[in-house]
Amino acid sequence: MRKLKLLSVLFISSIILSACSNTNPFDELADEINSWLGADSTNTSEKSTDPEEETENNTDTESNNEADNDTAGDTEDIETLDYSHLMNQGEAVTLDEGMHEVGKDIEPGRYVITADSGYGNIYVKNEENRGGFNETLAGESDSPEGQTTKIVGFLDEGYSVEIANFEQATFTPYETVSVETIFPGQWVAGEDFPAGVYDVSVPETEETGSLEVSSHPDYNKSRHTLGNAKYDGMTEFTMSFEDGDIVNLRYVPEVTLTER
């Protein structure tokens, strides 16, 4: 409406001027209109800052930063296996066949498990049925050649221990020493042997077992089938271990680790 009024005034003015001048009033009118339009365009192109919009933009930026920080936190909170608090801990005890609770029937710690006679199994699980270990075990007095006669493993608070087909099993605290040969159970790279690259060798055996490496309670970093070649078992190979890796040897009596 303001533009219409201005154009009307300019048009009337041009008619008046035409009566007093020999110049073309429409040229002058065009110049004035162009001048006015240019000035008006410049003014409208300068956009003022809307306080509410600026607040919304700042809020979006803060939300994005918080999301990035939350993602970084999730990465840092990845669950890992850590048995350091159980190293060189425990009290010797002999337990009968059946179910037992760590913290009640046996103290938390790291143990070597043996049986005097018979042939059975040891099952160890935590409260969520994760982690732990299980192994077939032969009694020391009448074990067939090539059978597992001892296991080393970690027993934490709240774990359950099941002894099956043995009258009794003995749990002896394990004292950490540097080793080159490991027997069935759980071992820690950086504690029982240095982290690094190793040649792994398995004595000739008819048994088939596995060597599993993990740092998370639900997933293996690697797994190798060992022993009898008829079942794709390997007797020699090379692999690397990182500090904190949990190495679980199963069903073969021993494995030799030779550092490169």
Side-chain angles (χ1 to χ4, degrees):
M1 180 63 70
R2 186 170 63 88
K3 293 181 180 180
L4 183 58
K5 288 181 179 180
L6 181 58
L7 289 172
S8 299
V9 171
L10 291 173
F11 182 76
I12 294 170
S13 299
S14 66
I15 294 174
I16 296 172
L17 289 173
S18 65
C20 303
S21 174
N22 294 325
T23 59
N24 188 340
F26 293 100
D27 291 341
E28 294 179 356
L29 176 59
D31 292 339
E32 290 179 11
I33 291 173
N34 288 334
S35 176
W36 175 80
L37 290 175
D40 188 67
S41 175
T42 301
N43 292 333
T44 56
S45 65
E46 296 177 358
K47 183 178 180 181
S48 60
T49 302
D50 186 344
E52 294 184 0
E53 183 176 351
E54 183 176 358
T55 302
E56 292 177 358
N57 290 337
N58 291 337
T59 303
D60 291 342
T61 301
E62 292 174 359
S63 299
N64 290 336
N65 289 337
E66 290 176 359
D68 291 341
N69 291 334
D70 289 343
T71 302
D74 292 342
T75 301
E76 294 174 358
D77 292 341
I78 293 175
E79 186 178 6
T80 58
L81 290 169
D82 182 9
Y83 297 126
S84 58
H85 60 293
L86 300 174
M87 302 292 284
N88 302 309
Q89 300 295 316
E91 293 183 11
V93 66
T94 297
L95 300 176
D96 296 332
E97 182 177 10
M99 295 291 297
H100 303 276
E101 183 180 341
V102 179
K104 179 180 178 181
D105 303 312
I106 182 172
E107 290 298 312
R110 190 185 192 189
Y111 293 89
V112 173
I113 307 170
T114 58
D116 290 336
S117 61
Y119 189 81
N121 297 86
I122 304 293
Y123 303 98
V124 177
K125 295 181 179 180
N126 67 11
E127 295 171 319
E128 300 174 346
N129 290 327
R130 302 164 64 206
F133 59 92
N134 63 80
E135 184 65 58
T136 300
L137 190 66
E140 294 180 330
S141 62
D142 54 0
S143 63
E145 184 179 355
Q147 295 293 316
T148 298
T149 58
K150 57 182 178 179
I151 313 166
V152 62
F154 296 98
L155 304 181
D156 207 351
E157 188 80 30
Y159 278 29
S160 64
V161 179
E162 181 180 1
I163 300 171
N165 302 318
F166 291 116
E167 290 186 4
Q168 292 181 327
T170 300
F171 295 74
T172 305
Y174 180 81
E175 182 177 349
T176 304
V177 295
S178 181
V179 298
E180 294 180 354
T181 299
I182 61 175
F183 54 87
Q186 297 172 308
W187 304 87
V188 184
E191 295 285 351
D192 298 307
F193 53 88
V197 179
Y198 286 82
D199 291 325
V200 181
S201 59
V202 182
E204 185 175 343
T205 177
E206 294 299 317
E207 301 298 320
T208 302
S210 65
L211 183 69
E212 301 170 356
V213 180
S214 60
S215 58
H216 187 280
D218 293 325
Y219 307 105
N220 289 330
K221 294 173 67 175
S222 63
R223 184 182 186 279
H224 300 272
T225 301
L226 309 179
N228 196 327
K230 293 180 181 179
Y231 303 100
D232 297 325
M234 296 187 293
T235 56
E236 293 184 351
F237 58 97
T238 301
M239 66 180 302
S240 63
F241 302 98
E242 298 179 349
D243 280 326
D245 280 348
I246 307 300
V247 181
N248 193 350
L249 177 63
R250 304 181 63 193
Y251 304 131
V252 293
E254 65 178 39
V255 163
T256 299
L257 305 176
T258 304
E259 189 171 12
R260 287 199 164 193

